[in-house]
């Protein structure tokens, strides 16, 4: 399925993927009573703070992420991806690590779990990181910085 | 044990959703953020699908006394909009825009492009460790 005017977009795959992410977060909420925030769970798993879940629980969630992606890759015959160079990835990773700890969450915890709960902090955080991300891409494009291989 | 199994189920569903929705491809994520250029709206459908399902889950959570496995809900209760929250979200957003990766897709991509994803994830953990060090220092 394509979207008129946006030949690159994959709206149906996006929607189905989003529903799966929503179900994942719903399982976390309704079974364990917790927020499925990836940055917090990853921090918890490696002992850098994060949520109050047990460390083994945090590890299992974190291990599930590549496992789920692997299942999709095997069923669909591979997943396309273009990544930036190591230096760019390292700079971006540092910013994401620092930013998510200071900002208490990322796209999953704030963007999905918090926004759907209409949490003021999450709405503000989500608007902030969206604007920052849009501005960053716009500035990089204006400077002619092509980072993805 | 049950907590670990439920966590694994949640993480696996999450990773599958990210991969299916194209979020493990930084090209798609940066395409979504490129609203002034060649905009790819796919991420809006991912977000929309996830938020709709979670909005229903929040309604259900409001009607049950306790979660199905654990004995009580452990939910964020902070409501204050601090410079720390906004500054942190801004730094995160810049990093997100630079490489087109946030924590979930970065970790899930360890099976798609292991070397690249590993650099991102290790740098992310290093960034988290920096904050941890500062927070541990007595003020």
């Amino acid at each position: 399925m394509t979207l008129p005017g946006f030949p690159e977009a994959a709206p149906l795959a996006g929607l189905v993927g989003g529903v799966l992410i929503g179900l994942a977060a719903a399982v976390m909420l309704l079974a364990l009573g917790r927020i499925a925030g990836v940055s917090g769970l990853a921090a918890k798993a490696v002992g850098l703070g994060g949520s109050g879940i047990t460390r083994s629980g945090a590890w299992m969630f974190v291990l599930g992420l590549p496992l789920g992606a692997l299942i999709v890759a095997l069923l669909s015959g591979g997943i396309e991806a273009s990544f930036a160079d190591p230096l760019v990835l390292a700079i971006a990773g540092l910013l994401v690590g620092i930013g998510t700890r200071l900002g208490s969450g990322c796209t999953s915890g704030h963007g999905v779990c918090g926004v759907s709960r209409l949490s003021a902090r999450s709405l503000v955080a989500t608007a902030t990181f969206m604007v920052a991300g849009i501005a960053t891409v716009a500035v990089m494009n204006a400077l002619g910085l092509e980072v993805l291989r | 044990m049950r907590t670990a199994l439920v966590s694994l189920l949640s993480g696996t569903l999450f990773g599958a959703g990210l991969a299916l929705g194209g979020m493990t491809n930084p090209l798609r994520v940066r395409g979504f953020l490129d609203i002034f250029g060649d905009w790819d709206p796919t991420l809006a459908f991912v977000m929309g699908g996830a938020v709709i399902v979670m909005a229903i889950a929040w309604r259900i959570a409001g009607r049950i006394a306790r979660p199905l496995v654990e004995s009580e809900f452990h939910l964020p209760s902070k409501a204050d909009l601090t410079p720390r929250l906004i500054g942190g979200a801004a730094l995160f957003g810049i990093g997100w825009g630079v490489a087109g990766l946030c924590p979930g897709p970065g970790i899930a991509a360890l099976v798609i492009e292991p070397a690249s994803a590993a650099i991102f994830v290790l740098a992310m953990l290093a960034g988290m460790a920096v904050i941890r060090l500062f927070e541990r220092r007595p003020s």
Side-chain angles (χ1 to χ4, degrees):
Chain A
M1 193 179 120
T2 55
L3 204 62
F6 299 101
E8 298 294 315
L12 190 61
L15 197 62
V16 175
V19 166
L20 283 182
I21 293 169
L23 287 174
V27 165
M28 199 56 133
L29 174 65
L30 298 176
L32 302 185
R34 294 184 189 279
I35 298 290
V38 177
S39 56
L41 287 162
K44 178 70 183 194
V46 296
L48 293 171
S51 61
I53 193 172
T54 59
R55 271 187 85 175
S56 62
W59 265 115
M60 293 303 259
F61 180 89
V62 168
L63 290 174
L65 294 172
L67 178 62
L70 183 65
I71 292 169
V72 171
L74 292 175
L75 292 179
S76 66
I79 293 172
E80 270 184 62
S82 332
F83 285 81
D85 288 328
L87 179 64
V88 176
L89 286 168
I91 293 167
L94 267 177
L95 287 168
V96 167
I98 291 170
T100 52
R101 294 316 293 149
L102 287 177
S104 310
C106 59
T107 355
S108 50
H110 282 311
V112 173
C113 298
V115 164
S116 60
R117 191 190 187 194
L118 299 179
S119 146
R121 277 171 62 86
S122 290
L123 290 168
V124 168
T126 303
T128 304
F129 64 64
M130 296 272 281
V131 168
I134 288 166
T136 301
V137 170
V139 168
M140 288 174 72
N141 285 348
L143 296 173
L145 291 171
E146 283 281 344
V147 291
L148 300 181
R149 280 178 272 124
Chain B
M1 183 66 192
R2 286 173 75 197
T3 296
L5 282 176
V6 171
S7 299
L8 182 65
L9 170 69
S10 174
T12 306
L13 278 172
F14 207 113
L18 288 170
L20 202 60
M23 297 301 101
T24 47
N25 186 357
L27 194 62
R28 249 200 212 296
V29 176
R30 292 190 92 242
F32 172 75
L33 295 172
D34 190 15
I35 58 170
F36 302 113
D38 195 9
W39 190 50
D40 179 347
T42 304
L43 197 151
F45 288 85
V46 178
M47 272 288 201
V51 166
I52 289 167
V53 173
M54 264 312 275
I56 297 167
W58 281 115
R59 298 291 295 266
I60 297 170
R63 283 152 203 243
I64 56 179
R66 44 166 286 195
L68 302 173
V69 171
E70 301 244 328
S71 55
E72 56 185 329
F73 284 98
H74 303 271
L75 300 172
S77 54
K78 275 198 244 173
D80 48 333
L81 303 173
T82 58
R84 179 190 161 114
L85 173 80
I86 294 164
L91 285 178
F92 162 51
I94 294 169
W96 190 37
V98 165
L101 283 170
C102 52
I107 296 169
L110 286 167
V111 291
I112 296 169
E113 199 168 306
S116 297
I119 293 167
F120 175 83
V121 171
L122 288 174
M124 177 179 85
L125 295 176
M128 291 178 169
V130 168
I131 299 301
R132 182 72 164 172
L133 281 176
F134 274 102
E135 283 177 340
R136 282 210 167 158
R137 188 173 293 173
S139 50

